[in-house]
Amino acid sequence: MDRVALRGLKARGHHGVFPREREEGQTFIVDLVLGLDTRPAAADDDLAKTVHYGIVAEEVVAVVEGEPVNLIETLAERIAQVCLKHEGVQQVEVCVHKPDAPITVPFDDVTVTITRSRV
């Protein structure tokens, strides 16, 4: 399976279990790896035969900016389902970063990574 990756998609969302997170929001960063067969697109040099990653990026940002959820696990699942709606995408790995998580000790990042497929 071939892979198309999008790294560092940034969007402001209001996800989290604490009132401050819901009220103020914070930046979330999403990395995606889409699994698909790119041979038909490459053979014909045809965008219609692959995934349009610009559209995927817009849809993922809309999910992050959309309805708040408590957990980034839930956010990752919603993002995965949006990606799998694209014809040809057989598998997706989603990594959601929450670099401003409400943690009381020094840290660089919090991430949740999931892999989902069409089976």
Side-chain angles (χ1 to χ4, degrees):
M1 191 171 309
D2 304 318
R3 301 181 315 161
V4 173
L6 290 88
R7 306 258 187 235
L9 295 171
K10 292 183 180 128
R12 189 157 186 85
H14 294 265
H15 312 289
V17 296
F18 298 112
R20 183 174 177 192
E21 294 179 290
R22 291 295 183 105
E23 293 164 11
E24 296 177 14
Q26 60 193 290
T27 299
F28 292 85
I29 302 165
V30 178
D31 300 324
L32 301 172
V33 179
L34 307 171
L36 64 152
D37 183 357
T38 63
R39 289 176 292 191
D44 295 336
D45 198 26
D46 186 353
L47 176 62
K49 294 183 178 179
T50 188
V51 64
H52 191 310
Y53 50 79
I55 291 174
V56 172
E58 291 172 359
E59 292 173 351
V60 168
V61 165
V63 171
V64 175
E65 293 176 342
E67 181 184 348
V69 296
N70 289 333
L71 304 176
I72 58 175
E73 292 87 342
T74 306
L75 184 60
E77 186 67 37
R78 288 183 178 182
I79 291 167
Q81 294 310 313
V82 164
C83 294
L84 288 171
K85 287 182 181 178
H86 287 266
E87 186 176 339
V89 175
Q90 298 301 309
Q91 182 176 336
V92 62
E93 179 181 283
V94 177
C95 180
V96 176
H97 300 255
K98 189 175 180 180
D100 298 321
I103 297 175
T104 60
V105 297
F107 74 102
D108 288 330
D109 199 5
V110 172
T111 65
V112 168
T113 303
I114 65 170
T115 302
R116 298 293 181 264
S117 59
R118 294 181 186 265
V119 276

